[in-house]
Amino acid sequence: MDNFSVNPVGKINVNDEGMFIEVDNKYLPAMQALDGFSHLNIIWWFSDYDNEDMRDILESPKPYKKSPEVMGIFATRSPIRPNPIALSAVQVISIDHEKGMIQIAYIDANDGTPVLDIKPYTPSLDKVETPGVPEWCCHWPKSLEQSEAFDWENEFNF
């Protein structure tokens, strides 16, 4: 299969009240039994970076201050990718099943970004107790919670 299509199930909604995943009405039944999960894995589309030129970029010059001089795009978290798909673990604040709104603590996506899928975060499948990382990023936080206080601005060259 050379080509296939994906259909967004909703979008990111950022407003004065916070950050939300707004689920399309068609997919409201898919939200059943999400209550009780503290975190979700959100698969979303880097829509702001989706064009043919960016999809052809396979290397990045030193995106992080301590990284190698050139990195393959698969070794980065860059939005520039052959298929601009993103995965973010998010903390759930509240769920409104009737309105299809999932309030989340934070996601590194822009307002209006298409959401492709929502999956519950389950430690038995998603948590790695002792992950290995290259030396250039071994000083990064060891969890989502620790990342909140980390000075990420000091890590990037962009």
Side-chain angles (χ1 to χ4, degrees), residues 46-57 81-82 84:
F46 275 121
S47 53
D48 294 345
Y49 295 87
D50 189 8
N51 65 56
E52 288 304 314
D53 290 340
M54 288 187 182
R55 284 178 175 234
D56 288 339
I57 296 172
R81 319 193 68 72

Side-chain angles (χ1 to χ4, degrees), residues 17-19 37-38 90-95 102-106:
E17 297 176 24
M19 298 186 120
F37 288 103
S38 66
V90 300
Q91 180 183 2
V92 176
I93 295 174
S94 65
I95 299 175
I102 303 169
Q103 186 172 13
I104 57 176
Y106 178 78

